[in-house]
């Protein structure tokens, strides 16, 4: 275990103007600034209300299936020479961590008197979760999804529509998550009176990066307690999660930010906002984004639709600057190979997003970056059903 002292106040509330250090903020049209203020006030009141917290906890238990288990990966651990534990968000209802955030925001929308959820989605899991929560609570749902992602995530598109959601294809730009987010925000401008924008990651204008992290904190809090019961040291040496916008990683890291554990976020090589991005503004917040020489946002690429985003949430950018978390990249080929390896070693088919985190662990263990015998916690953020057609083409 490294002997380090995390910076005081790490992963608490944002500072003035909704900022994490120099990142964050509320860069939005005037009509959305007021809508964001309403969301912030409503969330602060709800988060301080034991009745709201209790209702969410009950839904997470009886509808989403929490707590999710901590699974020791025995065979893979033996192969890699480390003790690998998987936090099994793939076992939640709908198959990913997205349901944690969406149930909270859907309850908030109901509390605010909104009748419809607006959502963006890349891999489709956030869209499925939004459609699921809307059906459960009697809300309408409109999900914006890039045309390219609709093609490669046909199963999730069908699931959303079966649940009663309207899926709106986005045909502009790269036709992936970035453009779906832009269209969802534009749509919200004209519908703030009756709709709640259910942002799926720790991106967007304040209060969304903080609010989504708090709703995903359940991952880290559960894992912290499970590790305390399972590990002799009580805390793993390394905590690893994949990062697109970064919600599953933020939720996981929040449980360990005040411990000596090393925090590692793994990005797609073609969408590495934290690893290679520059300061800029996109989707209502200031953070790190892939940009060309003129400051224009560049297109991201990843075999995993959920990591196909050209930036990273502002709190991740701040954690990078603090040195509290490090951000690394892996290639498409490494991620696909890791997905196959987990399937054959442990009988678990992971989402390609999660396979990025595992790919780095495999590489780092092979190079000695993860010392033999060290303990590694990895958040398995979603299951691989949605990626079967992609894997079938590549293998």
């Amino acid at each position: 275990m490294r002997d380090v002292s995390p910076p005081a106040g790490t992963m608490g509330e944002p500072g003035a103007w909704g900022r994490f250090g120099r990142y964050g903020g509320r860069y939005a049209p005037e009509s959305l600034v007021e809508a964001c203020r309403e969301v912030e006030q409503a969330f602060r009141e709800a988060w301080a209300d034991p009745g709201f917290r209790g209702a969410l906890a009950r839904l997470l238990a009886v509808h989403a299936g929490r707590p999710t288990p901590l699974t020791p990966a025995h065979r893979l651990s033996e192969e890699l020479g480390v003790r690998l534990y998987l936090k099994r968000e793939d076992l939640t209802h709908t198959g990913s961590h997205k349901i944690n955030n969406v149930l909270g925001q859907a309850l908030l929308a109901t509390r605010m008197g909104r009748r419809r959820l607006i959502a963006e989605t890349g891999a489709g899991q956030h869209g499925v979760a939004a459609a699921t929560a809307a059906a459960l609570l009697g809300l309408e749902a409109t999900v914006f999804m890039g045309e390219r992602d609709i093609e490669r995530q046909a199963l999730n598109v069908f699931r959303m529509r079966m649940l009663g959601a309207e899926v709106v294809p986005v045909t502009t730009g790269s036709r992936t998550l970035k453009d779906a987010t832009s269209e969802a925000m534009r749509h919200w401008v004209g519908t703030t009176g009756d709709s709640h924008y259910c942002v799926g990651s720790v991106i967007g204008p304040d209060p969304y990066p903080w609010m989504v992290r708090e709703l995903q904190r359940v991952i880290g809090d559960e894992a912290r307690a499970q590790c305390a019961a399972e590990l002799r040291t009580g805390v793993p040496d390394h905590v690893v999660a994949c990062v697109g916008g970064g919600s599953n990683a933020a939720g996981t890291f929040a449980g360990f930010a005040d411990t000596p554990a090393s925090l590692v976020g793994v990005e797609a090589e073609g969408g590495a906002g934290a690893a290679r991005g520059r300061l800029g503004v996109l989707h209502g917040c200031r953070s790190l984004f892939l940009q060309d020489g003129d400051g224009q946002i560049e297109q991201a690429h990843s075999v995993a639709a959920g990591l196909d985003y050209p930036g990273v949430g502002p709190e991740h950018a701040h954690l990078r600057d603090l040195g509290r978390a490090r951000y690394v990249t892996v290639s498409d080929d490494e991620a696909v190979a890791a997905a196959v390896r987990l399937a054959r070693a442990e009988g678990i088919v992971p989402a390609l997003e999660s396979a990025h985190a595992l790919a780095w662990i495999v590489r780092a263990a092979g190079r000695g970056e993860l010392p033999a015998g060290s303990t590694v916690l990895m958040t398995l953020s979603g299951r691989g059903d949605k990626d079967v057609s992609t894997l079938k083409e590549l293998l």
Side-chain angles (χ1 to χ4, degrees):
M1 182 71 68
R2 298 181 310 133
D3 183 17
V4 297
S5 297
T10 304
M11 302 200 81
E13 285 196 22
W17 311 108
R19 293 186 183 275
F20 302 94
R22 60 178 178 157
Y23 306 103
R26 194 176 284 166
Y27 295 83
E30 186 175 349
S31 60
L32 291 190
V33 168
E34 183 54 38
C36 288
R37 287 197 187 103
E38 291 180 10
V39 172
E40 179 188 8
Q41 180 179 349
F43 181 67
R44 287 186 179 278
E45 292 174 356
W47 212 228
D49 179 359
F52 179 87
R53 297 286 287 265
L56 176 58
R58 284 191 294 275
L59 281 182
L60 289 172
V62 304
H63 191 72
R66 303 208 71 88
T68 58
L70 186 71
T71 300
H74 292 297
R75 293 187 62 209
L76 198 51
S77 293
E78 186 175 348
E79 292 174 12
L80 298 178
V82 300
R83 295 172 62 197
L84 176 61
Y85 294 84
L86 307 174
K87 180 57 175 165
R88 299 292 304 280
E89 295 303 292
D90 60 312
L91 295 181
T92 61
H93 180 49
T94 73
S96 85
H97 70 291
K98 296 294 187 181
I99 194 68
N100 307 322
N101 167 48
V102 167
L103 284 175
Q105 288 203 54
L107 280 177
L108 183 67
T110 301
R111 183 183 176 107
M112 295 174 69
R114 305 297 189 254
R115 64 176 184 83
R116 184 169 68 120
L117 298 181
I118 300 168
E120 83 295 329
T121 195
Q125 290 298 99
H126 177 58
V128 169
T132 298
L136 178 67
L137 298 179
L139 302 170
E140 298 176 19
T142 301
V143 181
F144 290 83
M145 189 171 189
E147 192 175 53
R148 182 164 175 258
D149 290 336
I150 285 176
E151 293 170 359
R152 58 179 172 171
Q153 297 295 336
L155 174 61
N156 276 341
V157 174
F158 175 78
R159 291 170 73 193
M160 284 181 259
R161 287 174 172 154
M162 185 173 179
L163 287 159
E166 176 189 13
V167 180
V168 180
V170 176
T171 60
T172 56
S174 62
R175 300 175 294 136
T176 55
L177 180 58
K178 175 180 76 71
D179 307 289
T181 304
S182 298
E183 286 299 318
M185 291 189 75
R186 275 193 282 268
H187 183 75
W188 191 32
V189 170
T191 60
T192 56
D194 70 347
S195 301
H196 172 74
Y197 181 22
C198 184
V199 176
S201 194
V202 286
I203 61 172
D206 178 63
Y208 284 101
W210 164 64
M211 178 171 68
V212 175
R213 182 252 284 165
E214 285 300 281
L215 292 171
Q216 292 292 5
R217 182 186 283 269
V218 65
I219 304 171
D221 287 348
E222 282 182 10
R224 175 80 174 268
Q226 290 165 329
C227 286
E230 180 76 19
L231 304 179
R232 180 180 57 80
T233 56
V235 176
D237 297 311
H238 307 274
V239 176
V240 185
C242 66
V243 175
S247 64
N248 91 89
T252 304
F253 291 174
F256 296 91
D258 63 347
T259 76
S262 167
L263 308 180
V264 182
V266 186
E267 300 181 287
E269 194 170 70
R276 291 198 296 270
R278 294 190 291 127
L279 191 63
V281 174
L282 179 67
H283 297 144
C285 72
R286 190 184 199 209
S287 191
L288 297 172
F289 301 100
L290 300 179
Q291 300 170 65
D292 63 20
D294 296 321
Q296 298 299 308
I297 301 297
E298 293 187 324
Q299 290 186 7
H301 164 77
S302 175
V303 69
L307 303 188
D308 210 344
Y309 188 71
V312 67
E315 190 167 24
H316 284 295
H318 183 51
L319 290 172
R320 189 204 71 163
D321 285 3
L322 290 174
R324 182 62 193 96
R326 62 182 291 218
Y327 295 85
V328 297
T329 67
V330 302
S331 68
D332 286 354
D333 289 345
E334 287 177 295
V336 170
V340 173
R341 189 161 185 178
L342 185 63
R344 293 179 179 174
E346 302 294 339
I348 299 170
V349 179
L352 282 171
E353 290 78 11
S354 307
H356 283 70
L358 180 61
W360 179 80
I361 294 168
V362 170
R363 184 211 297 164
R367 293 179 178 176
E369 290 181 58
L370 295 176
S374 60
T375 52
V376 183
L377 169 69
M378 185 194 106
T379 298
L380 184 55
S381 60
R383 65 181 182 229
D385 306 34
K386 67 184 181 58
D387 296 317
V388 168
S389 61
T390 298
L391 289 166
K392 190 175 179 181
E393 292 177 4
L394 295 173
L395 296 175

